[in-house]
Amino acid sequence: MAANEQQVKRYQFASSIDLSAAFSVLDIEYLTVTESRTITIYIRSVLNIETVEGDLENARILDVEVLDRSSRVGSDDPNDLVETMVAQISDVVGVDFREIS
């Protein structure tokens, strides 16, 4: 992926969520970097997720960036990948979200 394709998307959830628990339910592999940052492997792609408000177990606002995307992913738009993952997290935790940037 070219550097100019990488962009951070910010999402806000209606209430705090436990990202670690959501990842476990969804079988998303992740590595905790700090209490507010994780690297995930989602559909053969690598994403950086940082909490802007809260931490990984009590997150309300997230920044999500695609670091590396598999060419085998259906859409050419990396933002579709991010939106799909955030929507799945929302479904699992039962909390609505919206994109804020």
Side-chain angles (χ1 to χ4, degrees), residues 27-78:
D27 289 327
I28 295 174
E29 294 180 53
Y30 68 99
L31 171 66
T32 301
V33 178
T34 67
E35 59 186 41
S36 63
R37 180 176 177 226
T38 185
I39 303 293
T40 64
I41 299 173
Y42 178 73
I43 309 179
R44 299 183 181 181
S45 300
V46 180
L47 291 80
N48 179 58
I49 300 174
E50 293 189 56
T51 61
V52 176
E53 185 177 305
D55 57 29
L56 296 175
E57 295 178 357
N58 191 22
R60 180 115 193 259
I61 299 176
L62 311 174
D63 282 347
V64 183
E65 177 183 16
V66 177
L67 300 177
D68 186 37
R69 186 176 57 85
S70 171
S71 60
R72 296 184 204 174
V73 174
S75 172
D76 288 336
D77 186 354

Side-chain angles (χ1 to χ4, degrees), residues 2 8 11 22 45 61 72 82 90 95:
V8 175
Y11 297 92
S45 300
I61 299 176
R72 296 184 204 174
V82 172
S90 174
V95 176

